[in-house]
Each structure stands twice: as structure tokens, then as C-alpha cells.
Amino acid sequence: MQSLGKISPMKLEKLTDAELDRLDAQLKALNPDGMNVEALDGYLFALHCLPELVMPSQFLKEIIGVGIFETNDDAAAFSTLIFRHWNFIGAALDRTLAGNDIYELVLIEDEESGITRANDWAEAFMHGMSVQPAALRQILGDDAGGGDMVPILLFANEHNKNPALRSTPIAAEKRADLVLHLIAGAHGVYRYFEAQRSESAVEMTVNPMRRGVKVGRNAPCPCGSGKKYKHCCIDTASTLH
């Protein structure tokens, strides 16, 4: 697979429907059994919720799997869409903390029935949360945040292969209402970890770029742009294989 190289800072532009469709097709081409664009959205949303910053070199490997790009241009086009979406989710979620509009999840509507199932989103969200198991255990065991996880778990486990973990099938007439609870719950999870994410900002030092020093996701980017680190320099210099 071609190197994705270094991603330059990007504008916080929402992906258009056409770009989401293109990204969905690219994801399926890279890994037919991997993420679709709905799952990608759930996965990236979860990573933004986590207390500790997840680096692109980690989540890109998960997204791409064993896929191979034919050219560097294909890799660059793909990574551009991924990081635009990543940055847009982060900026939108920050706005929700100020009481502004919520982030509109990318949920695929079934072409035949017109039903929004949301299972792929919820399953990928749980997969993303499992990147930091301690955080997942924390919120599941806390009455203050565990309630927000209930609708997510309901959708994530509706078709679980393990009968013991499978949740009760969601009735068609209740699904649309429960999707709204899913959306509210996901934003609740983001709010739940906000204090811990903010605490990581104080870990910045005088020389944050030296090896071994962690840069908090909400801390100023070391490049000096004045933007938060998570919305600015994303280094994917390592080659993904």
C-alpha cells in the first residue's frame, strides 16, 4: 500500500453527499468486509469522545485494513476525505458543548424500506470506544454516563452473533424514536469525557514536540497555528502496510 504521507491542515468543511458516496465506495473497494461510511462516522465519533487522543497512525490502519491503493493520488484523495471528516466531527462536537447545534450523524437509509437502521454506526462506535478499555469500563459502570450508552448498546447488539449478548429486536414503529435517543446518547458520551479531555491539555510542556511528550487534543497545536491540536497538524508520516 502506498504511504499516506503527511496531512496538511485542512478547512473544516463538511463532506458533501457526493463525497460521502465516493468515500463509501473507496472503503468498500479497500475492504469489502470492513467499514462503510456509516460505520466510519460512528468509529471516528467514538475516538473523539475518548479521554486520550488517538493518533491517525492508529485509526487509519483500522479503517484501511489490508487494503491497497493503486496510486499515491488515490491514497491522497482518500486520506483527504478521511481527515476532513475527522476534523469536521471534532469541530462540530466542540460546538455542541457551547449549546449549539448537535452533530448530524451519517446514517444510511435503507433503499428499499426507507428505514434508518443505525446498527453499523452503533457497532463501530462501540469498537471505537474499546480502543481505550478503561474509559469504556468507566462510563458503563457510572450511573451518570451509563444511561447515555443504553440506546447505543441496543443498536450495537441487535444482531450480535452471540445470542447471550443479543439485544431485543427493535420494533419498526419504535426505531425512528430510538435513533433520536441514540444521537442524544452519543453526544452525552462526548460531554461525559470532556473534563478528562481538557485535563490532557495541561500535559503540554515548553517543548511539546520532543519525543515522549504527550500533546493534549484540546491543547494548542505545537505548530503555532493557534488552533487546537486535534483540528490542526495530523502527522501520518509513517507508512501503512
Side-chain angles (χ1 to χ4, degrees), residues 29-79:
L30 283 169
N31 186 0
D33 297 322
M35 297 182 186
N36 57 17
V37 73
E38 176 180 308
L40 173 70
D41 189 69
Y43 182 67
L44 294 181
F45 190 113
L47 298 187
H48 275 294
C49 291
L50 293 171
E52 299 294 334
L53 178 67
V54 179
M55 296 304 293
S57 58
Q58 181 177 353
F59 69 70
L60 279 175
K61 291 178 182 178
E62 184 68 25
I63 292 169
I64 295 171
V66 297
I68 299 175
F69 294 105
E70 293 185 1
T71 67
N72 281 331
D73 287 343
D74 290 341
F78 178 82
S79 60

Side-chain angles (χ1 to χ4, degrees), residues 101-122:
D101 294 340
I102 65 172
Y103 172 68
E104 184 178 349
L105 310 187
V106 177
L107 299 174
I108 298 174
E109 185 178 281
D110 187 89
E111 294 183 359
E112 295 184 1
S113 65
I115 295 174
T116 300
R117 302 196 179 279
N119 300 109
D120 289 343
W121 195 96

Side-chain angles (χ1 to χ4, degrees), residues 150-167:
V150 171
I152 300 171
L153 289 166
L154 184 64
F155 281 94
N157 291 312
E158 186 179 14
H159 305 297
N160 197 306
K161 295 180 180 179
N162 185 343
L165 299 177
R166 192 177 304 149
S167 58

